Amino acid sequence: MKAMIFAAGLGTRLKPLTDHTPKALVKVNGRPMLEHIILKLKASGFTEIVVNIHHFGEQIIDFLQANGNFGLNIHISDERDQLLDTGGGIRKASAFFQGNEPFLVHNVDILSNTDLRNLYLHHLKEGSDATLLVSQRATSRYLLFDGNNVLKGWINKQTGETKPEGFVCTPGLYKAYAFSGIHVLSPSIYRYMNEQWKGKFSIMDFYLQNCQHATLKGFFDKDLRLIDIGKPETLAQAEQFINTM
């Protein structure tokens, strides 16, 4: 089983902790965030992982080497020349995901109680181009799914903005869920990444512009507990979260 960890971000919300350290190596409960995610993936049965790097990327390389890649087959997708955002990062790593085997994508700054193996197996069963882990947590921005859990659009409930262009959010027609930062993709997704999708781009923008063509589904986890380690003050919350797992 394959996975990709987004570890290239600048971590601007975590300043000053990231002034001299990559976000992925900021510690929670004595362990870097990257280590928490790698160990969870390993415990879930993933054996091959791609980690993308940019900000202080050499520190991440050194950390992985010092820990023997945690006994896994870990590849580096090097974005030190240009930070490519989530979609561009997935496209750059395409060489690692040839064939038909799906791969799970996980943000390095997300901790959750979700069963990653179950999510992966659900994706295999459904045969979608992508499966997005979602929940009903409070936010201003929601993904909108039809009765078959197929992604149809997005809405910012504060501003009323919708995506993709021309999408109409008919009241009562769609289920609104928040994205978790965890998703499973099949290599078939790359066939939709034409010349328009080059360089730096968001995977969510890509999903929303292609949701009428690709099969993009939501996986709703009613018991999902999740914390986004976005700011220094959330580190204490993250430590409490880990202690209750």
Side-chain angles (χ1 to χ4, degrees), residues 31-201:
R31 288 181 174 177
M33 290 192 282
L34 179 60
E35 183 173 347
H36 284 291
I37 304 305
I38 289 175
L39 292 178
K40 178 161 186 172
L41 286 166
K42 183 176 182 178
S44 300
F46 292 86
T47 58
E48 188 169 359
I49 298 174
V50 176
V51 178
N52 72 342
I53 61 169
H54 174 78
H55 184 58
F56 296 119
E58 64 283 353
Q59 292 186 33
I60 293 176
I61 293 173
D62 291 344
F63 170 75
L64 292 171
Q65 290 178 345
N67 286 278
N69 286 338
F70 297 93
L72 300 172
N73 187 5
I74 296 183
H75 310 279
I76 297 296
S77 184
D78 197 336
E79 298 179 25
R80 282 178 287 185
D81 289 342
Q82 180 188 9
L83 185 59
L84 296 173
D85 205 338
T86 51
I90 288 172
R91 177 160 186 165
K92 182 177 176 63
S94 62
F96 299 110
F97 302 124
Q98 299 299 311
N100 298 315
E101 184 179 353
F103 56 100
L104 183 142
V105 176
H106 200 303
N107 287 0
V108 76
D109 51 5
I110 294 293
L111 294 176
S112 81
N113 66 337
T114 199
D115 185 332
L116 297 178
R117 183 177 180 84
N118 184 48
L119 172 64
Y120 187 90
L121 293 176
H122 174 83
H123 174 84
L124 282 175
K125 180 181 177 181
E126 290 289 312
S128 305
D129 293 307
T131 301
L132 289 68
L133 178 66
V134 295
S135 68
Q136 288 182 321
R137 63 186 173 86
T139 182
S140 60
R141 296 168 292 181
Y142 289 93
L143 295 174
L144 302 172
F145 299 86
D146 67 12
N148 294 315
N149 297 320
V150 175
L151 179 66
K152 293 297 182 180
W154 171 96
I155 188 169
N156 184 323
K157 292 201 172 182
Q158 288 185 343
T159 65
E161 178 188 6
T162 60
K163 296 178 182 178
E165 185 177 354
F167 174 75
V168 177
C169 181
T170 305
L173 187 59
Y174 301 107
K175 296 177 288 186
Y177 294 129
F179 181 47
S180 67
I182 304 170
H183 37 151
V184 183
L185 294 79
S186 291
S188 59
I189 200 73
Y190 287 115
R191 69 173 176 258
Y192 301 100
M193 291 185 182
N194 55 27
E195 290 301 305
Q196 175 187 354
W197 303 101
K198 294 178 66 175
K200 182 178 180 178
F201 65 93

Side-chain angles (χ1 to χ4, degrees), residues 14-33:
L14 277 169
K15 282 181 170 292
L17 298 175
T18 50
D19 285 345
H20 305 287
T21 303
K23 174 176 64 174
L25 297 187
V26 172
K27 291 185 178 180
V28 178
N29 242 20
R31 288 181 174 177
M33 290 192 282

